[in-house]
Amino acid sequence: MKKFILLTMFLIQATSLLAEVDWSRENSCKYNNFSNADLIDQLISDMSIEEKVGQVIQGDLDFITPADVKKFKIGSVLNGGNTAPNGDKYSSLSDWKKLSQEFYDASPTYKGIKIPVLWGTDAVHGHNNVIGATLFPHNIGLGATRNIELVQKIGEAIALEVLSTGVAWTFAPTIAVPQDDRWGRTYEGFSEDPILVSKLGKALILGLQGEGSTLLNEKHVLATAKHFMGDGGTTNGVDQGNTKISELGLRELHGYPYFDALDACAQTVMASFNSWNGEKLHGSKSLLTGVLKNDMQFDGFVVGDWNGHGQVEDCSNSKCAQSFNAGVDMFMVPENWKDLLRNTIRQVNSGEISELRLDEAVKNILVVKSRLGLLNGRKPHEFEGNFLGHPDHISLARQAVRESLVLLKNNDGVLPLMPNQHIGVIGDASNKISTQTGGWTITWQGRENSNSDFVNTRTIYESIKNYVEVNGGSVEFSSNGKFQNKPDVVIGVFGEEPYAEMLGDLKDVAFTATDPRYLPLLESISATNIPTISIFLSGRPLVVNEYLNASNAFVAAWLPGTAVEGISDVIFMKNNKINFDFQGKLSYSWPRSKDQSVLNFTDSIYDPLFPYGYGLTYASEDQINNIKIVKSKKLDLVNIFLGAASIPGKEFVVTDSGPEFVMQDNFLSANKKIKITRFDYQRQDDAKNIIFIKNKGMQAYGISAELPTDLSSMDSPYYEIVMRVNSLSDAKLYFSVGCGNNCMGSIELPVSKMAEWEAINVPLSCLKKDGLNESKVQIRGLFSSEEQINFDVNSIIIKDGAITGTKVSC
Ligand code: BGC
Ligand code: BGC
C-alpha cells in the first residue's frame, strides 16, 4: 500500500515538473526615436500622485471632455464602438481632428514638456467608426487569404486612415484563437490555428506600427495585441467567460501568438475580460506581470478592457487596486473615470497601491508616448492628408476580398460565369451593406446603419449589376422568385445579421435565417434546373447543409466589408477567360452538424464537413454530393433579449403614429413619446431603460423577427424576464407574445411588486390560454401600456422546465 502511495506521489510530482511552462522570451525591439529615458524619470519624480494617477486613466468621449482632461490631468481617452465626436456617428473628418486638437491643447505640461493625451479607437477592419473609411474584410476573411504581405499592407493603410482623423492608437489586432465558433467574436480572430493567427497578427502589427527605421514614425500608429489571454477558449464559447485549460495549453494555444506580436514590438496589450481557470485576467498578477511583463519581457503598457477591472472579485468600475497591482497600467474606465481617479489616488495614499507600482505604470505609459514622438512635438491633429477611403486602400480591400473567398462547392464547374447572360439575383442581403460589413462598423453592433451611411460603396447586387452590364449582360433582382426575363443563372446572397461581442454568442452552430424567404426561394429555383450560386456572408462557419444542397456553387465570403467588387472579379470571367481564380482556404473547420461547435483540426476525432485548409479552385473537379440534413432536435433555451435584441430579433416601438425600428442607443420615437436608453446593469450595455412618456394612448416596445420560431418541442416553456419598474404608479404594463395576424397571448405584469431587479417568470401556458400559437412565435416579446411608465429590462429568455422564483400566474 505504502509503495503504491509513494509511487502515486512520485508520479504527481513528475507530472507537475513536466508542466513547468516556459514563457521566456528575449526582447530585441529597438526604438530609434525619442527614448527620452532620463527626461521620463525626471518627469515622474516631479509629478504629484494625483498627476501620475491621471496618466493611468482612460475615459470614453461620451463622458469626458477636453476641459475634464485639463482639470484632472488625464492621460488617455477612447472612442468606444458607439462613440464618436459630439455623440454623432456622422462626425466629419474635421470634427475628429478638431477634437483631437482640443484634447492635445488640454493635455498637461510638466517643466515645459507637454504630455499629450493618447486617444485610442477600435480600428479593427479599417477605421470603422468613421464614415467614409475603407472597410476591409474582418479578420476571419484575412485568415482565409493567408497572405501575410497583404495583411501588412492593410495595417499600413489602416494606420494612415486612423492618422487622418488625428488619432494615433488602435485597439487591434485581435489575436484570439477561437476554439468554439458559438463565440460572438469568432470573426475577430484570423483562425482556429495559433500559428496562422500568430503570422497574420504580426503582419498587421508591423503594418500599423511600422518596423525598423519606420517604427512608430509619422505614418504609423500604436497597435494593441488583444485580448490577453485565453479569450478564444472560453467554455461553450461564452463571451467574457472562463477558459479552462492547463498552463501548457494556454501557452501553446492562446498565448502562442503573443510571442510574435511582441517581436513585432506591439506597444500595448489589452487585458482580457475572460478568466483563466476561474481567475479574471484583469486581476491575474501571475499572467499580467509574471508571464507578460517578466517572462515575455513586454516593454509597452497593459491597457484594461472596457470596465474589465470592475469584474475582478471585490472590485467595482470605480475602484480596483487589485487590477492595478496585478499589472494593468491603464484603466479603460469609460464612464466612471472620475471616481476611479479619486479612489486610485486614495489607494496610493493609503499604501494599498505602492507608489513604486504607480511610477512603473506611468513610466510604461510615458515611454510609449515618447516612442510615438508625442513628447517631442508630434501632434496627432497636425497629420497632413486625408486617406479615408483612399483609392489605393479600396483596391487593397478589393484584393483582400478576392483572396478571402472560399469556394466550398462548384458542381459541374458552374463557376466562373460568363457575364454576358441574364443573371438573376435573390436574397435581401444582396441589397444590404451592413450584412457585408458585420459588427464594429460605424456603430458597435453594426446593425444600425443604412446603405446611405456608406460612402462610395456598392451593395453586392449593385456591384454584380455594374460588372455584368459593362460586360454585355443584364441583371435582375427578384424578391419573390418571379423574374421578368428567365435568368440563365441565379446568384443568391444571404447571411448573418451583424453582431459584436456577447450579442453574437450562439447556442449552437446552426445557421438561423433572418430572411425567411431565401431558402424556399433558392430551393424552388434550383428545382427548375436554373443553376444557382449562393454567396454566404457570415462571421463563422455555420451549418448550412440545405443551402449547400440547393446550390450548384457555394462561396463563403465572410464579412467582406465595402469592396465587394472583389466578388465579381472572381466569379465572372473576363474576355472568356478566368479573371481571378479562388485562392481562399478555410482558416476554421466547417461543421456538418449543429452540435459541432468545438471543431478544430487538432481534435482527435475530427469529422468536419469541410476541413481546415479546404477551398476549391477552378482547377478542382470535386463534386459535392447531397449532404445529409440532420433535423433539429429539441429546443431548450431561446435568447430574446440580452441588453439588446438577440439575433434574429429586432427592437421596435409602436406609438399612435405607427411602428419604428430602434436604430440608436439613445432612441427617441418620432413623436418623442418613447425614450430608450442603453445602460450598464451588471455588465456593460446589458440593460435598457424604457420610458413611455404619454399619459394616454398606445405605447409599446418589443422584439420581432421575420422568421417565426417554433417552441412546440419544449416541454414546459416559460419566459424569464429580468427587469424592474422605476415609476411606481397604477399604470398597467402588459407583456405579450405574437404569432402573426391577430394571433397573440398577453398577460399583465405585477408592476407594483417590481421595484427591484427581479426575474419574472411567465409560463407559456398562460400566454397560450390567451391565444398564443407556440409554433409561430414572431413578436418575440412586447411590453405595452397606455399610461406613463418607466422600466428597465436586462434580459428576456425562454427557458424550459420547472419555474423557480417569481411566477406570474393566470
Ligand atoms: C462600446 C464598445 C464596447 C462595448 C462593450 C459599447 O457601448 O461602444 O466599444 O466594446 O460597449 O460592451
Ligand atoms: C472590447 C474591446 C474593445 C473595447 C473598446 C471592449 O468591449 O472587448 O475589444 O477594444 O471594448 O471599445
Side-chain angles (χ1 to χ4, degrees), residues 78 80-81 122 171 185 226-227 270 273 305-306 332 440 501:
L78 86 149
D122 292 288
F171 304 126
R185 305 191 79 159
K226 73 185 188 184
H227 312 81
M270 189 182 288
F273 279 126
D305 201 350
W306 191 275
M332 186 186 289
W440 296 107
E501 301 190 46

Side-chain angles (χ1 to χ4, degrees), residues 60 62-63 78-83 122 129 171 185 226-227 239-240 273 305-307 332 334 440 443-445 500-503 665 678 680 683-686:
D60 181 90
D62 271 353
F63 307 98
L78 86 149
N79 68 287
N82 276 321
T83 328
D122 292 288
N129 283 297
F171 304 126
R185 305 191 79 159
K226 73 185 188 184
H227 312 81
D239 191 41
Q240 310 192 358
F273 279 126
D305 201 350
W306 191 275
N307 283 331
M332 186 186 289
W440 296 107
T443 61
W444 178 40
Q445 293 297 316
E501 301 190 46
M502 56 296 242
L503 292 168
D665 278 337
R678 185 140 82 162
D680 300 354
R683 282 191 182 186
Q684 59 280 50
D685 288 334
D686 65 345

Side-chain angles (χ1 to χ4, degrees), residues 169-184:
W169 179 18
T170 171
F171 304 126
T174 295
I175 51 171
V177 190
Q179 298 296 291
D180 185 325
D181 299 351
R182 288 174 290 186
W183 188 33

Side-chain angles (χ1 to χ4, degrees), residues 428-620:
D428 289 350
S430 68
N431 285 312
K432 214 156 134 206
I433 298 176
S434 59
T435 317
Q436 296 159 212
T437 46
W440 296 107
T441 302
I442 309 179
T443 61
W444 178 40
Q445 293 297 316
R447 300 187 204 178
E448 302 85 349
N449 307 309
S450 50
N451 287 354
S452 59
D453 292 342
F454 296 87
V455 181
N456 277 336
T457 304
R458 293 197 176 103
T459 62
I460 294 180
Y461 164 69
E462 288 164 347
S463 66
I464 290 175
K465 186 169 160 68
N466 185 61
Y467 188 95
V468 167
E469 287 180 355
V470 168
N471 289 286
S474 52
V475 178
E476 190 184 341
F477 176 81
S478 168
S479 57
N480 57 8
K482 294 202 181 80
F483 291 94
Q484 307 216 306
N485 298 311
K486 183 169 180 252
D488 299 307
V489 48
V490 167
I491 300 177
V493 185
F494 73 112
E496 290 189 286
E497 282 296 300
Y499 51 81
E501 301 190 46
M502 56 296 242
L503 292 168
D505 286 358
L506 292 176
K507 299 185 302 328
D508 58 51
V509 286
F511 169 66
T512 311
T514 45
D515 178 353
R517 291 167 299 242
Y518 183 74
L519 183 61
L521 201 57
L522 181 73
E523 284 172 337
S524 68
I525 292 169
S526 126
T528 64
N529 287 329
I530 296 175
T532 49
I533 288 101
S534 278
I535 297 175
F536 183 46
L537 304 170
S538 74
R540 50 196 150 198
L542 292 169
V543 178
V544 282
N545 298 353
E546 283 108 322
Y547 300 80
L548 275 157
N549 288 344
S551 311
N552 299 77
F554 194 102
V555 179
W558 317 111
L559 301 170
T562 45
V564 289
E565 287 79 3
I567 299 176
S568 302
D569 287 345
V570 181
I571 64 174
F572 291 111
M573 290 199 248
K574 195 165 191 173
N575 305 325
N576 283 327
K577 285 204 293 268
I578 291 170
N579 187 14
F580 289 94
D581 201 347
F582 280 91
Q583 294 185 41
K585 304 285 173 214
L586 291 181
S587 64
Y588 288 85
S589 307
W590 199 287
R592 64 169 71 244
S593 66
K594 68 174 191 170
D595 52 319
Q596 286 182 316
S597 48
V598 183
L599 177 70
N600 300 297
F601 71 98
T602 46
D603 296 348
S604 52
I605 300 172
Y606 183 58
D607 181 30
L609 182 59
F610 302 112
Y612 180 86
Y614 176 90
L616 304 175
T617 66
Y618 285 142
S620 337

Side-chain angles (χ1 to χ4, degrees), residues 97 160 163-164 218-219 379-385 387:
K97 275 198 151 172
L160 290 174
L163 288 167
S164 300
E218 72 290 349
K219 289 189 170 166
K379 302 187 176 83
H381 57 276
E382 283 187 354
F383 178 83
E384 273 175 36
F387 289 86

Side-chain angles (χ1 to χ4, degrees), residues 50 98 115 127 166 240 337 475 494 663 726 742 800 806:
E50 289 75 9
K98 181 163 163 280
I115 307 190
H127 195 6
Q240 310 192 358
W337 59 269
V475 178
F494 73 112
M663 298 285 268
N726 300 310
N742 282 324
D800 200 6
T806 308

